[in-house]
């Protein structure tokens, strides 16, 4: 099956009424425009449920983006992708796993000579991304060959199930890339804090309800030794400070 045929059948699978229902639900309950256009202070004032929804939507969108990249890429490099039982396949997994482990250790403070060298960082990231893409295109190729073979009559239900399976297999990618992002300082989380009369920093953690907000002496609740609850009205006209933190 060609890429054009596969995409055509995918569009047929996504029926318009179902899409409209999902869009209506998202706009009414999740309000993605408010979520993704909110600045760092507004996001820090989200409730736990809102923050979870924000992170979940972001993760799903990242996963879909990777699927959009990997699916056509698999068609174009299918001839050079190694067989799952090929020795080279095991090399990809082993090398990628070693690099990921070294990156994690480096992020924890060890092997700083690696992190201080742009050449080493660039080489590690490039090799890891090649291993990651080859591993996933190999996985995609396996499903395309077994479920979307030209030898069998195309089955829309099977195609839909295969897309769901591929989505589930692709879900870990954003998690896998967190240490890599931290390693090269690709992106940063921002924390927001205020200072009291004693110049003590109090980080905004999340909104408890519409009237109150939880603050702590660290930028993550699990690290806090002190917390306090303030009414949001008390924060009016209070200067907020923002600081970048590692992912």
């Amino acid at each position: 099956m060609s890429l054009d045929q596969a995409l055509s059948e995918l569009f047929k699978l996504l029926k318009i009424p179902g899409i409209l229902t999902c869009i209506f639900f998202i706009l009414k309950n999740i309000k993605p425009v408010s979520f993704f256009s909110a600045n760092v202070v507004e996001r820090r004032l989200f409730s736990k449920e809102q923050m979870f929804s924000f992170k979940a939507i972001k993760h799903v969108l990242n996963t879909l983006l990777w699927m959009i990249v990997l699916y056509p890429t698999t068609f174009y490099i299918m001839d050079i992708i190694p067989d799952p039982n090929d020795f080279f396949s095991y090399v990809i997994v082993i090398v990628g796993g070693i690099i990921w482990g070294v990156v994690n250790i480096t992020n924890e403070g060890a092997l700083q000579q690696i992190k201080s060298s742009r050449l080493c960082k660039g080489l590690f990231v490039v090799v890891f991304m090649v291993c990651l893409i080859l591993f996933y295109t190999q996985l995609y190729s396996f499903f395309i060959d077994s479920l979307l073979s030209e030898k069998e009559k195309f089955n829309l239900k099977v195609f839909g199930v295969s897309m769901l399976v591929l989505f589930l297999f692709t879900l870990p990618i954003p998690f896998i890339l967190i240490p890599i992002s931290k390693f090269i300082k690709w992106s940063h989380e921002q924390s927001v804090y205020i200072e009291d009369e004693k110049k003590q920093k109090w980080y905004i953690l999340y909104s408890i309800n519409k009237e109150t907000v939880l603050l702590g002496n660290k930028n993550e609740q699990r690290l806090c030794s002190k917390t306090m609850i303030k009414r949001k009205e008390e924060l009016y006209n209070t200067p907020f400070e923002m600081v970048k933190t590692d992912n």
Side-chain angles (χ1 to χ4, degrees):
M1 175 182 290
S2 68
L3 175 60
D4 291 339
Q5 288 175 315
L7 291 177
S8 176
E9 294 297 338
L10 178 60
F11 291 145
K12 292 178 182 178
L13 178 66
L14 301 175
K15 297 179 181 180
I16 295 300
I19 295 176
L20 292 178
T21 301
C22 291
I23 292 174
F24 177 77
F25 176 82
I26 291 173
L27 292 176
K28 183 178 179 181
N29 297 282
I30 301 179
K31 300 178 180 178
V33 175
S34 298
F35 271 21
F36 291 99
S37 64
N39 60 39
V40 62
V41 177
E42 290 174 315
R43 287 200 296 269
R44 281 294 173 174
L45 291 174
F46 285 167
S47 65
K48 273 187 173 181
E49 292 77 14
Q50 288 176 314
M51 185 56 69
F52 176 81
S53 298
F54 175 79
K55 290 182 178 180
I57 294 171
K58 187 176 178 181
H59 188 90
V60 169
L61 291 177
N62 284 334
T63 301
L64 291 174
L65 179 61
W66 271 102
M67 286 187 68
I68 292 171
V69 172
L70 290 170
Y71 196 75
T73 301
T74 302
F75 279 89
Y76 290 121
I77 67 172
M78 191 175 290
D79 294 335
I80 63 172
I81 297 174
D83 186 83
N85 294 321
D86 191 273
F87 174 76
F88 189 62
S89 299
Y90 296 103
V91 173
I92 291 172
V93 174
I94 293 171
V95 172
I98 291 173
I99 292 176
W100 193 83
V102 171
V103 166
N104 266 293
I105 294 172
T106 305
N107 288 337
E108 293 299 322
L111 304 175
Q112 287 304 299
Q113 62 272 25
I114 294 177
K115 203 168 186 178
S116 61
S117 171
R118 289 187 177 181
L119 179 61
C120 285
K121 286 168 65 175
L123 185 62
F124 270 50
V125 172
V126 169
V127 174
F128 177 80
M129 293 304 296
V130 169
C131 290
L132 180 71
I133 291 172
L134 284 177
F135 173 79
Y136 268 95
T137 50
Q138 185 183 76
L139 183 66
Y140 274 50
S141 178
F142 171 78
F143 278 100
I144 291 171
D145 287 341
S146 60
L147 299 177
L148 304 177
S149 174
E150 290 182 345
K151 297 178 182 179
E152 300 177 3
K153 185 178 180 181
F154 183 81
N155 188 316
L156 193 59
K157 183 178 180 180
V158 172
F159 181 71
V161 171
S162 69
M163 288 294 100
L164 177 59
V165 172
L166 288 178
F167 175 79
L168 294 176
F169 273 110
T170 312
L171 269 176
I173 290 183
F175 288 125
I176 293 171
L177 290 178
I178 289 175
I180 304 299
S181 178
K182 183 178 179 181
F183 183 64
I184 60 177
K185 298 182 179 179
W186 189 359
S187 61
H188 294 274
E189 287 289 335
Q190 283 189 303
S191 297
V192 179
Y193 68 86
I194 61 172
E195 291 185 346
D196 59 18
E197 298 80 5
K198 298 179 181 179
K199 298 299 180 179
Q200 167 73 45
K201 293 180 181 178
W202 290 97
Y203 292 86
I204 297 176
L205 301 176
Y206 58 85
S207 289
I208 298 174
N209 51 46
K210 292 182 178 179
E211 290 79 28
T212 59
V213 62
L214 181 68
L215 294 91
N217 62 337
K218 298 292 183 181
N219 64 333
E220 292 184 33
Q221 187 178 6
R222 62 185 178 85
L223 301 175
C224 293
S225 58
K226 297 179 183 178
T227 58
M228 69 174 176
I229 298 174
K230 270 187 174 290
R231 295 183 65 85
K232 289 183 179 179
E233 289 83 351
E234 297 178 60
L235 299 178
Y236 292 167
N237 299 321
T238 301
F240 292 99
E241 298 287 341
M242 287 167 280
V243 61
K244 289 182 178 180
T245 57
D246 289 331
N247 288 337

